Amino acid sequence: MIFEKLGVFYLGRPYDLENKKPQEGYILYDSKDLTTHAVCVGMTGSGKTGLCINLLEEAAIDHIPSIVIDPKGDMANLLLTFPELKKEDFLPWINESDASKKGMDPKAYAAQQAELWKNGLASWGQDGQRIAMLKQNADFAVYTPGSSAGIPVSVLRSFDAPEQALIADDELLRERINTTVSSLLGLLGITADPIQSREHILLSSIFHSHWIAGKNLDLSSLIHEIQTPPFKQVGVMELEVFYPAQDRLSLSMKLNNLLAAPSFSSWMEGQALDIKNILYTPEGRPRVAIFSIAHLNDAERMFFVSLLLNHIVGWMRSQSGTTSLRALVYMDEIFGFFPPVANPPSKLPLLTLLKQARAYGVGVVLATQNPVDLDYKGLSNAGTWWIGRLQTERDKARVLEGLEGAASTSGSNFNRQRMEQTLAGLSSRIFLMHNVHDDEATIFETRWAMSYLRGPLTRQQIKVLMDPIKSMSGAGMPLQESAPAKASSSTVSSPQRTVMKSDLPQWFIPVRNQPMPGQSLQYQPHLLINGKVPLASEKYQIHSSRTIHHLVPIQNTPLPFQWDDAFICSIEAEKLEKNPVPSAVFSEVPSLVAQGSSLTTLKKDATQWLYESQHITLWKSPSTKAVSSPEEEEKDFRLRISQSLREQRDEALEKLRKKYAPKKLSLEERLRKSQQVVEREKEQVKHQAMQTAISVGATILGGVLGRRSISTSGIGRATTTARNASRTMKETQDVGRAKESFEQVKKQLQELEASFEQDMQSLMHQMDSMNEELEKQLVKPKKTDISIQLLALCWVPYWTDSNGKAAPAY
Ligand SMILES: Nc1ncnc2c1ncn2[C@@H]1O[C@H](COP(=O)(O)OP(=O)(O)O)[C@@H](O)[C@H]1O
Ligand SMILES: [Mg+2]
């Protein structure tokens, strides 16, 4: 189908409400329009989730990632996609109670469902191949915070200092702190007023002092900080007067109990809330990330959703601006998270998203069965409304009010009575689309969903669904730390340091933190390399130099230097100490190092290692000729290229609109004219002629140009001219032209369509580079340019327990 790569989303087909009949053609929604956000309302069963699943499917096909918040459990249906549409595929996922209600055994019911889906898709011009494409273009995963059924999410890591872009923005930082603290207190059962409550003020001050310094917090350090905060004053008041130590202790006990609760451990393991890694796989493939929160209680849901939204805001702010859609944030059933009057922690970040996301190409889509649940400010910010069947008069009145308001801001006229009638006529899967970018509202029927809409999945079913994916892709694995400082417990340690024959200087990393009960201090030997590696390339205009400050673990093995495990030393050379902490023990330095290794040979080895390990990897896109910048990862480069390709495509689409819309309009006018003539002459052909005229308008061309608001997209003048021209023609021009044969104009319209398709094909071809193989180019150093300023034996302190488990002590 040609609409696949247009940047338009195939949502359904036009629907004739009066005659209760679907019409020919497509409802193609411009993906760009989603950057002004959308709201989907309708009573239970009206087809909201189906419509929004369609939207997410279309986005995935277009390589656009989504974050889906799923309070009810329906959204994991996005993983039930079966390109072969076999009954065996459906069998494990059918709703058994539905089967028994119909008196069918599961197998027969599965066969029936498979048939239903196949036929359903076919009647909308879709097939297994399209499902295969959907699966290929994106990765699908279910995340389950507080549970390991899907991919668990570690929320402790979420107290990490936000991105620099967010810290730099005072207001955003305050918002972030506010929401984090409110939701954390909510989890403790404390509903706190950010301005009045001393709990809120204290925690906010602690978060602020850490984050502003770029320091991370976790729950255990927070417990500690509550008791001994890094400040003595709050506002103008003494800390001890404002919030005495005794009372602070009871707050920290509450947090400690939370930490100690067995159920809480599931909140601490899993993937960090790192939005970039959630939205894209390591290879840069977009992901539809479904956060299933049905199993959580209200406080936990609020806590998690607020944190997640906060992180989305932070990630978003670190992106470059764009005019095209970059990512979607969808919330199925917004109830309670975005209320009109109250101010739960989730509301602030949602409002921020609605206000700011447009500039970053992030589209927010909110669904609710109850329009009264939605904050009015939020509603008026949404550019698209999908309105399905509504239940109560109050709901209808609310929606009408909103539509009327939107119409008056945009200056278009609004016929309340007609709209009321329309809303009353809507039925299941029939929606009214109000899009500020379109000239008029559209009634349409939602297309058949590719995903098998079996209804809510249980946690157990999510587990069955996700287990194979977790083991295959490693999506569930927590990401590796950049500097895994591991302690080796295999080496012998003693209170005495190995005597060194070599002329290597020795330094100690200062001990920074306190031991847990039962831990003692152990120093482990590392080779410290400090130097510079210049990296230059005339061809790629690169003149850079890398500062090396690395630690290479030394172990008692035949090859003592663990070059492959080298990591960046986080302590500056000036802060290294000359002496160890008293009463610590030392791991043994292998004799090969202690006896042999002169400074000269070590320098040679280190230079060789730097020569082999230090280079700049550049990525080149053969089709666009673009080259990544130094230090840009393949994934980021790919994302950057595809976003700019998407912008180009959207621009090209806009150009096509400008080119074709006036031509189409004037041809249609002529068609209508000649039709009138034909009608007058031959009454009996009338019916057939009408039919033809409709089906010509119902093509892809029609779908793409359809209801577009030409005045906003800049074709305004051209079309008005065309309109006027044909109107003038109608009144004054010769009858000869009016007699132009109906067939002839129809043919011209078909030719226009063909030429449009051709233009479209070349556009699609350009977009193929989204998936292309990138070429890798290395910029290597010259050996003679590498300089080493310091080589030393560096002792790294660890806290070890009796089981030999070690944790960094710096
Ligand atoms: N696009 C669709 N394709 C196929 N079936 C659909 C579609 N939309 C809705 N349905 C059917 O209608 C039922 C109710 O729709 P749903 O989207 O869950 O309603 P809502 O979210 O408004 O409560 C679904 O379970 C499904 O059987
Ligand atoms: Mg629903």
Side-chain angles (χ1 to χ4, degrees):
M1 282 287 198
I2 190 154
F3 51 70
E4 297 299 9
K5 287 182 181 173
L6 278 177
V8 289
F9 291 173
Y10 174 27
L11 296 187
R13 60 185 162 214
Y15 189 82
D16 176 0
L17 254 194
E18 244 164 73
N19 300 306
K20 302 247 167 279
K21 268 210 306 252
Q23 293 170 306
E24 254 187 87
Y26 307 97
I27 292 297
L28 301 176
Y29 181 83
D30 196 340
S31 68
K32 247 169 76 178
D33 292 352
L34 269 185
T35 58
T36 54
H37 319 308
V39 171
C40 182
V41 293
M43 60 185 273
T44 305
S46 61
K48 295 180 300 296
T49 303
L51 168 59
C52 294
I53 280 192
N54 286 348
L55 197 71
L56 294 162
E57 289 176 350
E58 295 293 326
I61 285 181
D62 200 20
H63 308 275
I64 290 169
S66 311
I67 285 183
V68 178
I69 302 175
D70 182 18
K72 264 183 72 184
D74 281 327
M75 301 309 294
N77 287 349
L78 276 161
L79 273 80
L80 304 181
T81 39
F82 316 117
E84 293 176 50
L85 293 159
K86 284 189 303 200
K87 54 181 189 285
E88 295 80 18
D89 296 332
F90 284 74
L91 186 58
W93 304 108
I94 55 156
N95 197 329
E96 304 231 349
S97 67
D98 283 354
S100 62
K101 252 185 254 159
K102 292 198 172 163
M104 291 174 86
D105 79 281
K107 273 196 177 143
Y109 186 69
Q112 191 216 49
Q113 291 286 297
E115 203 56 25
L116 177 72
W117 233 254
K118 193 168 169 182
N119 296 337
L121 285 171
S123 66
W124 292 87
Q126 303 179 100
D127 54 16
Q129 241 177 344
R130 190 159 201 250
I131 299 180
M133 176 164 72
L134 168 68
K135 289 184 83 139
Q136 196 197 325
N137 286 9
D139 186 71
F140 294 80
V142 183
Y143 294 77
T144 46
S147 153
S148 58
I151 299 173
V153 184
S154 137
V155 291
L156 271 193
R157 289 271 292 274
S158 312
F159 298 143
D160 281 4
E163 300 75 359
Q164 201 51 47
L166 200 141
I167 295 180
D169 185 321
D170 213 39
E171 192 185 333
L172 272 187
L173 179 65
R174 237 177 304 131
E175 263 178 31
R176 171 85 161 245
I177 292 173
N178 197 345
T179 332
T180 308
V181 171
S182 297
S183 58
L184 183 62
L185 287 173
L187 206 54
L188 293 177
I190 303 173
T191 350
D193 179 338
I195 302 168
Q196 303 278 333
S197 130
R198 58 179 188 174
E199 289 96 340
H200 202 290
I201 294 170
L202 176 71
L203 288 184
S204 300
S205 308
I206 293 173
F207 273 99
H208 189 265
S209 66
H210 273 72
W211 285 356
I212 202 103
K215 283 196 280 185
N216 303 335
L217 261 175
D218 55 35
L219 209 48
S220 48
S221 51
L222 187 60
I223 290 169
H224 183 248
E225 295 286 280
I226 291 173
Q227 289 164 271
T228 47
F231 42 80
K232 290 270 162 288
Q233 238 170 334
V234 178
V236 290
M237 258 177 151
E238 289 289 316
L239 174 68
E240 290 309 319
V241 179
F242 172 76
Y243 203 154
Q246 195 56 38
D247 300 357
R248 296 203 308 272
L249 183 66
S250 86
L251 178 61
S252 66
M253 288 294 282
K254 267 195 181 149
L255 267 178
N256 190 55
N257 292 347
L258 183 71
L259 187 65
S263 61
F264 202 75
S265 66
S266 56
W267 286 91
M268 303 209 254
E269 293 146 13
Q271 217 178 47
L273 263 186
D274 178 333
I275 300 300
K276 187 170 105 183
N277 288 326
I278 286 167
L279 285 175
Y280 303 97
T281 67
E283 301 78 37
R285 238 155 66 93
R287 183 179 284 134
V288 177
I290 299 153
F291 288 88
S292 187
I293 53 171
H295 57 281
L296 301 177
N297 68 32
D298 285 349
E300 291 170 336
R301 282 184 195 192
M302 184 54 76
F303 169 69
F304 180 73
V305 169
S306 308
L307 273 183
L308 178 61
L309 291 170
N310 262 322
H311 280 77
I312 295 171
V313 171
W315 164 80
M316 179 183 91
R317 298 280 301 204
S318 62
Q319 303 299 300
S320 56
T322 179
T323 48
S324 294
L325 189 62
R326 167 184 270 135
L328 277 181
V329 176
Y330 171 64
M331 190 149 180
D332 196 45
E333 298 298 347
I334 190 92
F335 177 76
F337 293 99
F338 200 43
V341 186
N343 264 319
S346 55
K347 191 167 160 181
L348 202 58
L350 254 177
L351 268 176
T352 307
L353 273 180
L354 288 172
K355 271 189 275 178
Q356 302 186 351
R358 177 183 194 168
Y360 301 97
V362 177
V364 181
V365 181
L366 306 174
T368 181
Q369 44 176 298
N370 194 349
V372 187
D373 285 345
L374 279 171
D375 181 77
Y376 185 76
K377 267 184 279 173
L379 272 181
S380 60
N381 259 311
T384 303
W385 296 25
W386 288 295
I387 300 161
R389 189 178 173 77
L390 294 164
Q391 198 160 22
T392 68
E393 288 311 312
R394 196 172 67 135
D395 290 348
K396 276 179 216 159
R398 180 66 194 254
V399 166
L400 282 169
E401 198 183 298
L403 283 174
E404 196 162 14
S408 75
T409 15
S410 70
S412 49
N413 53 356
F414 182 77
N415 185 334
R416 191 181 171 108
Q417 205 183 349
R418 226 185 79 201
M419 188 56 84
E420 218 171 322
Q421 254 173 17
T422 305
L423 290 188
L426 297 172
S427 53
S428 153
R429 285 178 60 191
I430 309 296
F431 282 80
L432 173 112
M433 170 160 71
H434 168 85
N435 181 349
V436 289
H437 309 279
D438 287 351
D439 283 338
E440 54 193 39
T442 314
I443 310 287
F444 73 104
E445 180 179 9
T446 62
R447 73 156 170 78
W448 200 272
M450 283 185 268
S451 312
Y452 175 41
L453 305 182
R454 57 91 61 209
L457 289 173
T458 62
R459 228 192 309 184
Q460 182 54 31
Q461 285 170 317
I462 289 176
K463 184 167 155 47
V464 174
L465 205 53
M466 284 305 293
D467 274 350
I469 297 174
K470 278 203 274 189
S471 61
M472 228 169 53
S473 69
M477 299 301 145
L479 285 172
Q480 246 211 318
E481 289 290 324
S482 53
K486 25 174 205 209
S488 59
S489 49
S490 57
T491 45
V492 189
S493 52
S494 84
Q496 253 72 51
R497 252 190 285 167
T498 315
V499 178
M500 300 283 290
K501 274 231 177 95
S502 78
D503 39 6
L504 211 53
Q506 297 193 34
W507 292 97
F508 294 83
I509 291 195
V511 173
R512 286 271 171 86
N513 53 17
Q514 299 296 315
M516 302 286 270
Q519 287 184 328
S520 60
L521 197 67
Q522 183 195 40
Y523 280 105
Q524 293 182 12
H526 289 69
L527 179 67
L528 174 71
I529 306 171
N530 181 297
K532 277 211 160 35
V533 180
L535 289 159
S537 157
E538 279 309 319
K539 187 174 169 196
Y540 297 112
Q541 306 249 331
I542 291 172
H543 308 278
S544 73
S545 175
R546 256 187 215 164
T547 304
I548 305 296
H549 191 51
H550 279 64
L551 289 168
V552 184
I554 300 174
Q555 273 174 25
N556 207 350
T557 53
L559 297 167
F561 294 107
Q562 309 301 305
W563 299 106
D564 290 344
D565 293 333
F567 56 97
I568 294 172
C569 176
S570 54
I571 314 295
E572 298 147 53
E574 300 78 53
K575 300 228 169 98
L576 295 174
E577 287 170 355
K578 208 57 226 159
N579 294 301
V581 168
S583 80
V585 295
F586 298 86
S587 294
E588 192 185 353
V589 180
S591 57
L592 209 63
V593 180
Q595 306 293 319
S597 299
S598 73
L599 211 49
T600 333
T601 47
L602 271 180
K603 208 164 191 167
K604 242 169 88 187
D605 290 353
T607 308
Q608 180 64 24
W609 171 67
L610 288 174
Y611 173 69
E612 282 164 14
S613 64
Q614 301 298 311
H615 48 250
I616 293 175
T617 309
L618 294 177
W619 300 97
K620 191 170 169 184
S621 142
S623 68
T624 61
K625 305 274 181 287
V627 180
S628 67
S629 49
E631 317 296 335
E632 188 176 30
E633 284 174 34
E634 178 185 1
K635 171 174 166 176
D636 296 312
F637 176 60
R638 195 179 275 285
L639 297 183
R640 184 160 64 85
I641 295 265
S642 48
Q643 189 62 20
S644 83
L645 279 171
R646 193 171 288 137
E647 285 169 12
Q648 282 169 26
R649 177 198 61 188
D650 289 353
E651 227 167 81
L653 185 65
E654 206 58 49
K655 275 206 193 111
L656 282 191
R657 285 212 178 96
K658 284 183 195 169
K659 179 171 161 194
Y660 284 95
K663 289 185 193 165
K664 175 170 171 274
L665 211 71
S666 99
L667 276 176
E668 277 172 352
E669 245 350 287
R670 282 165 61 192
L671 193 70
R672 220 162 290 140
K673 264 198 95 50
S674 55
Q675 195 182 327
Q676 280 169 5
V677 175
V678 177
E679 270 167 35
R680 235 175 287 135
E681 286 174 3
K682 276 189 169 180
E683 266 303 313
Q684 71 268 43
V685 215
K686 181 180 162 193
H687 183 68
Q688 194 228 336
M690 286 280 264
Q691 285 297 81
T692 329
I694 288 165
S695 63
V696 169
T699 52
I700 295 283
L701 183 59
V704 174
L705 306 179
R707 312 149 317 277
R708 190 95 311 232
S709 169
I710 31 203
S711 50
T712 56
S713 58
I715 346 171
R717 204 166 308 139
T719 356
T720 331
T721 321
R723 252 196 215 126
N724 287 346
S726 41
R727 209 169 289 140
T728 325
M729 183 186 81
K730 183 178 178 182
E731 284 150 15
T732 63
Q733 297 246 312
D734 51 331
V735 194
R737 273 192 84 184
K739 274 189 181 157
E740 188 176 25
S741 107
F742 178 83
E743 288 303 317
Q744 213 176 328
V745 187
K746 207 180 96 186
K747 203 169 146 238
Q748 282 184 44
L749 252 174
Q750 277 160 352
E751 277 165 12
L752 190 72
E753 170 92 1
S755 132
F756 177 74
E757 283 211 19
Q758 210 168 27
D759 280 358
M760 235 43 259
Q761 290 290 358
S762 66
L763 242 181
M764 277 164 63
H765 189 68
Q766 275 175 30
M767 287 307 290
D768 284 345
S769 36
M770 279 237 230
N771 296 320
E772 78 184 343
E773 188 110 358
L774 298 177
E775 284 168 17
K776 191 173 174 176
Q777 322 261 348
L778 293 186
V779 176
K780 290 182 148 187
K782 272 203 211 128
K783 226 183 210 174
T784 47
D785 290 346
I786 297 174
S787 69
I788 291 179
Q789 274 118 34
L790 172 68
L791 268 184
L793 179 67
C794 185
W795 293 96
V796 181
Y798 286 91
W799 295 115
T800 54
D801 62 20
S802 52
N803 299 324
K805 262 173 93 178
Y810 55 95

